[in-house]
Each structure stands twice: as structure tokens, then as C-alpha cells.
């Protein structure tokens, strides 16, 4: 009889634990999302703001704060955010107290193309629209169409990665022969870069020329500096 009583208590305890877990789970699932928190990861300029992200979180004209947690599909929310042309990646998740959190990584523009409808080229070589919130301080590219972005992208990426070029180059122009010219921040002479090839060699030659001319105080004497020829820097004096 004692064993039966002990067994009965054990079964009752297990049943109580199962009931409490089920009750807590159902209560948690039926809880409404009361708060949305948006976090922008990394230190980036504000090309997209919290208001825009909140609008993207709205599904079928119903705010996510009104949606029960059991019917909110987080993967779909992330897909909606990632589809925005200013967003590179997003991570959306729920906390145990019903708070929806969205971590946003924006795309990084490295050049602005001066077209009929201007656009940015981002760090991955894709195009992105201009932002209403912030204007990126990046080189201005002229006479280049969207279909030619893949051709010029290695040069733009080189400018973005190289501290010397990033400091001095403010513009890139594609001339009628298909060669690229660089405009500098301080000096008026044009840098004829040529085709997008042998990037490391051309940049190395230009740096060597620049340092020597800077030392000789002759940078203001030049009208044009060409890097088109292998292992040479050909200068035209004013």
C-alpha cells in the first residue's frame, strides 16, 4: 500500500510539472509583442533610419506589435528586411519577455555614379540607391553606366582599400577611348590610369612619382600624369 501511495505521488508530481510547462508555453505563445528594438551593427553612416525599418516590419498593414508570437514568422521578417536595397543583412529574434529585436547591417557605398538616376556602388560591387538621410563621402564616378560597373569595380575597390588613394582621389572619369582618369582632391593635374588592369603596379608607380614630386615641390607643374605604360610614369608639363 505504501509503495502504491509513493508511486501515485510520483505520477501526480510528473503530471503537475507537465501541466506547468504546458501552461507556461501556451501563455508565452499567446503573449503579444509589446516592444520593437532596432539596433544598427557596426559604426556606419545612417543611410536608413529606424522609422524606415519599422515600416518594413509591418506585415499586411498590421504592426508586428499586434501579432501573436505564435504566428510571427521571423524568417519572413528577415527576408523582408534583407530585400531593402540599403540593408546588407538582418537578424530578427524574440526575447522571452515578448520583445522583438532587429539587428541591421547596412550596405557600404564606395562610389557614387553620376548617371541620369544617380546611384552608389557598394563594397560588394552591387548598385544601391542614394539615401534620403545621408550623403556618402565617396569618389564621384562620371560617364559610366550601370552595365559598366563590373568593369570599374576593381578600381573603385582598390581606391577604397588603399589609404593613399582614398585620401587623394575624389573622382573617376571614363573617357571616350574607354580609359579611366582620376581626379585628385588637391592638385589639378589629371591622372590617366588607363584600363582597369595591373592595379598594384600602377598604384605603386604613382605613389613613387608623387613622393618624389612632393619632395621636389613640383606637383603644381604638371598638367597630366599617365600611368598607362608598363613601369613608367609619363608626365605632361603645363
Amino acid at each position: 500500500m505504501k509503495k502504491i501511495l509513493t508511486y501515485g505521488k510520483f505520477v501526480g508530481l510528473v503530471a503537475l510539472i507537465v501541466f506547468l510547462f504546458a501552461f507556461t508555453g501556451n501563455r508565452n505563445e499567446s503573449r503579444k509583442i509589446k516592444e520593437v528594438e532596432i539596433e544598427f551593427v557596426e559604426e556606419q553612416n545612417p543611410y536608413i533610419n529606424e522609422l524606415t525599418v519599422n515600416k518594413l516590419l509591418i506585415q499586411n498593414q498590421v504592426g508586428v506589435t499586434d501579432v501573436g508570437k505564435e504566428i510571427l514568422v521571423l524568417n519572413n521578417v528577415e527576408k523582408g528586411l534583407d530585400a531593402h536595397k540599403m540593408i546588407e543583412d538582418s537578424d530578427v529574434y524574440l526575447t522571452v519577455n515578448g520583445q522583438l529585436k532587429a539587428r541591421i547591417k547596412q550596405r557600404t557605398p564606395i562610389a557614387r555614379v553620376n548617371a541620369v538616376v544617380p546611384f552608389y556602388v557598394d563594397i560588394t560591387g552591387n548598385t544601391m540607391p542614394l539615401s534620403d538621410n545621408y550623403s556618402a563621402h565617396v569618389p564621384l564616378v562620371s560617364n559610366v553606366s550601370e552595365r559598366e560597373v563590373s568593369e570599374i569595380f576593381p578600381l573603385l575597390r582598390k581606391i577604397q582599400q588603399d589609404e593613399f588613394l582614398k585620401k587623394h582621389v575624389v573622382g573617376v572619369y571614363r573617357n571616350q577611348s574607354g580609359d579611366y582618369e582620376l581626379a585628385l582632391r588637391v592638385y589639378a593635374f589629371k591622372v590617366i590610369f588607363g584600363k582597369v588592369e595591373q592595379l598594384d603596379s600602377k598604384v605603386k608607380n604613382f605613389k613613387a612619382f608623387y613622393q618624389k614630386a612632393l619632395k621636389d615641390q613640383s606637383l603644381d607643374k604638371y598638367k597630366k600624369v599617365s600611368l598607362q605604360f608598363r613601369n613608367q610614369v609619363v608626365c605632361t608639363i603645363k
Side-chain angles (χ1 to χ4, degrees), residues 11-169:
V11 172
L13 180 61
V14 171
L16 178 61
I17 292 173
V18 171
F19 170 77
L20 290 175
F21 269 108
F23 176 77
T24 303
N26 289 334
R27 185 177 181 183
N28 188 52
E29 289 298 320
S30 62
R31 184 181 298 164
K32 300 294 184 180
I33 297 170
K34 299 300 182 183
E35 184 180 356
V36 177
E37 180 181 312
I38 299 168
E39 175 190 359
F40 291 94
V41 301
E42 301 181 0
E43 291 188 9
Q44 295 178 296
N45 295 315
Y47 301 109
I48 186 172
N49 56 28
E50 289 191 13
L51 178 61
T52 302
V53 176
N54 271 317
K55 288 180 179 178
L56 292 172
L57 289 172
I58 295 174
Q59 297 178 339
N60 298 322
Q61 306 301 316
V62 179
V64 292
T65 53
D66 297 325
V67 181
K69 294 198 317 185
E70 74 280 3
I71 63 172
L72 180 67
V73 182
L74 297 182
N75 286 340
N76 289 343
V77 175
E78 287 184 356
K79 287 178 182 179
L81 291 173
D82 292 344
H84 193 279
K85 291 189 175 183
M86 292 292 183
I87 296 176
E88 179 179 326
D89 185 55
S90 67
D91 181 24
V92 181
Y93 60 97
L94 286 168
T95 64
V96 292
N97 61 355
Q99 183 183 43
L100 180 72
K101 291 193 174 185
R103 302 179 78 246
I104 306 296
K105 182 180 179 182
Q106 300 178 108
R107 295 171 65 185
T108 305
I110 62 173
R112 173 174 172 159
V113 179
N114 188 20
V116 176
V117 179
F119 59 89
Y120 289 127
V121 177
D122 78 354
I123 202 169
T124 66
N126 293 312
T127 62
M128 60 183 284
L130 302 187
S131 170
D132 294 330
N133 302 308
Y134 188 85
S135 181
H137 301 294
V138 291
L140 180 64
V141 178
S142 302
N143 204 30
V144 169
S145 65
E146 189 170 344
R147 67 175 179 273
E148 293 162 336
V149 166
S150 59
E151 175 186 278
I152 193 178
F153 174 66
L155 176 57
L156 298 178
R157 188 76 168 112
K158 184 69 175 177
I159 294 171
Q160 189 266 340
Q161 291 177 327
D162 188 282
E163 289 301 322
F164 176 84
L165 296 179
K166 191 174 182 178
K167 176 181 177 181
H168 291 285
V169 177

Side-chain angles (χ1 to χ4, degrees), residues 1-9:
M1 183 67 181
K2 188 176 181 179
K3 289 184 179 180
I4 296 175
L5 183 61
T6 302
Y7 179 75
K9 289 181 179 179

